[in-house]
Amino acid sequence: MNELRESIRSLGIADPETAVAVHALTGADPVLLQSPAPLPQRFEQVDGWLMQGFLSPDTPHFAAVDGAPAAALGEAPDEAEDAVLSLVVVRPRTLYDLRTGTRLSEADLTALLPRLEAAGLIAPAANPLEPDNPFWTFTDRLARFHYAVLRPHLDRWRRGRIAEPLWRRNRARFDRYVGRPEFLNLTREWAREVTGAATATRITVPDPRFRQMRTLELVTWDEKGEALALGTVRWRFRMVERQLKRLRYVKRLLGDPPVHLYCVASRFEPVIAGDEDPGLSVVTSPALLATAGDEVSESAPDGDLHPISRLVGAETRRVG
């Protein structure tokens, strides 16, 4: 059973992207779901709901968000812990990434990471290409929101005088570092279920030709460590042809394994939707939350709806 899907569905929000955004902060916690503003039913209502419930000192849940890291740890994070959490909120990090980004020694990180994990703030996610080097990933929703939105201007948020301008300045960070990770988790749970995989992960693959690392958001693996499926995912915005080309390029870097390919997004360029490759499935956001008997449709009109799109570079053949 896909527990994340059922938890998101329990919110009773019909629009999948809105439901994911709300769940990314609150989970299904009935206390956090209580707010002066009703639960948003459309994505454009999320801003008002957040402003009235979470984003100034006189809102019901500001203190919980502001104090989330300290509540988890039992005390305010020290400088090293703060540095690690500020990095991990941007994207999952390997030990090498953390050493480079924080300038902490491997010994310091080896002692610190288990403490953050025990507090429920982060957890190691599988990295099948390097089993001994997991991706450290944010798991605490309130603390993730704290580091994504409040942390860059914490004193100003606490004064509460310019909450709306601060929100406009940080709106893209919410989409990218709060909503998108929840959507990726939902996608991985869905893919693990439909492919019968033992695990679903992200991967980074060396590209010797360009001396770069290529990232895929979605890979499913069987119990023997063999890849079953590869996928690319776009949160809220139209998937463009270059993303499908990158997916196929990474597949070649991996030696062209016999895997199925998935493109997961709300909307797609016509060239993707019309691709006749039988080894490719195009999956819309509503399909990720659908169960047997649900009617699947598009969740929003075509087109990019926010400048964040410029920052983010049952299986069916066609869904929606």
Side-chain angles (χ1 to χ4, degrees):
M1 176 174 149
N2 188 326
E3 294 182 2
L4 180 56
R5 177 185 64 206
E6 297 310 312
S7 184
I8 295 173
R9 285 172 63 96
S10 74
L11 299 178
I13 299 173
D15 177 67
E17 293 172 344
T18 306
V20 168
V22 171
H23 198 272
L25 173 56
T26 65
D29 187 332
V31 174
L32 294 175
L33 291 170
Q34 293 177 3
S35 173
L39 279 181
Q41 299 301 311
R42 300 189 305 276
F43 199 85
E44 58 266 27
Q45 297 172 337
V46 170
D47 290 23
W49 173 75
L50 287 170
M51 289 298 303
Q52 294 184 54
F54 295 88
L55 288 176
S56 67
D58 59 351
T59 53
H61 306 303
F62 180 85
V65 172
D66 186 12
L73 288 166
E75 60 184 357
D78 62 24
E79 184 177 349
E81 292 164 340
D82 194 63
V84 167
L85 293 170
S86 295
L87 279 176
V88 174
V89 79
V90 173
R91 60 175 171 82
R93 305 282 186 169
T94 64
L95 185 62
Y96 173 79
D97 296 330
L98 292 172
R99 283 169 46 205
T100 303
T102 65
R103 299 182 180 271
L104 294 170
S105 69
E106 184 170 340
D108 288 339
L109 287 167
T110 301
L112 186 155
L113 291 172
R115 169 169 160 75
L116 297 178
E117 181 184 6
L121 290 168
I122 62 175
N127 181 5
L129 296 183
E130 296 183 73
D132 296 328
N133 193 21
F135 296 111
W136 288 92
T137 304
F138 236 107
T139 51
D140 185 294
R141 290 184 172 91
L142 284 181
R144 181 173 64 188
F145 184 82
H146 173 98
Y147 275 93
V149 178
L150 265 64
R151 182 67 179 81
H153 307 283
L154 189 55
D155 289 340
R156 292 182 176 183
W157 283 114
R158 287 172 174 170
R159 289 197 295 268
R161 295 179 182 175
I162 56 171
E164 291 191 14
L166 279 175
W167 172 241
R168 289 195 297 271
R169 188 181 304 176
N170 287 273
R171 182 68 178 80
R173 291 181 64 90
F174 174 82
D175 281 338
R176 193 173 191 183
Y177 304 142
V178 180
R180 187 171 182 266
E182 192 84 347
F183 186 70
L184 291 176
N185 287 337
L186 175 64
T187 302
R188 293 180 187 122
E189 286 298 297
W190 174 89
R192 187 171 62 85
E193 188 175 50
V194 300
T195 62
T199 187
T201 69
R202 74 195 298 269
I203 57 169
T204 56
V205 182
D207 182 352
R209 179 181 176 187
F210 295 98
R211 298 182 181 180
Q212 294 179 345
M213 300 296 290
R214 304 293 180 183
T215 300
L216 280 186
E217 303 90 347
L218 175 64
V219 185
T220 64
W221 309 83
D222 64 18
E223 294 179 350
K224 298 178 180 179
E226 298 293 330
L228 299 174
L230 305 176
T232 185
V233 183
R234 191 130 196 222
W235 158 243
R236 288 211 68 231
F237 304 105
R238 183 174 60 176
M239 183 170 289
V240 296
E241 184 182 11
R242 67 176 178 272
Q243 288 176 271
L244 176 56
K245 289 182 177 179
R246 180 173 63 90
L247 174 61
R248 287 174 167 148
Y249 180 68
V250 173
K251 181 174 179 284
R252 290 196 296 272
L253 289 176
L254 290 170
D256 270 322
V259 297
H260 198 81
L261 302 181
Y262 289 95
C263 289
V264 183
S266 297
R267 297 158 294 279
F268 304 85
E269 282 190 342
V271 68
I272 299 176
D275 194 297
E276 297 183 354
D277 180 0
L280 171 69
S281 289
V282 176
V283 183
T284 60
S285 301
L288 302 179
L289 290 172
T291 58
D294 287 345
E295 182 178 349
V296 177
S297 62
E298 290 286 356
S299 62
D302 197 8
D304 283 359
L305 306 179
H306 193 279
I308 186 65
S309 63
R310 297 196 296 270
L311 302 178
V312 180
E315 177 188 345
T316 70
R317 172 69 184 128
R318 295 285 179 260
V319 182

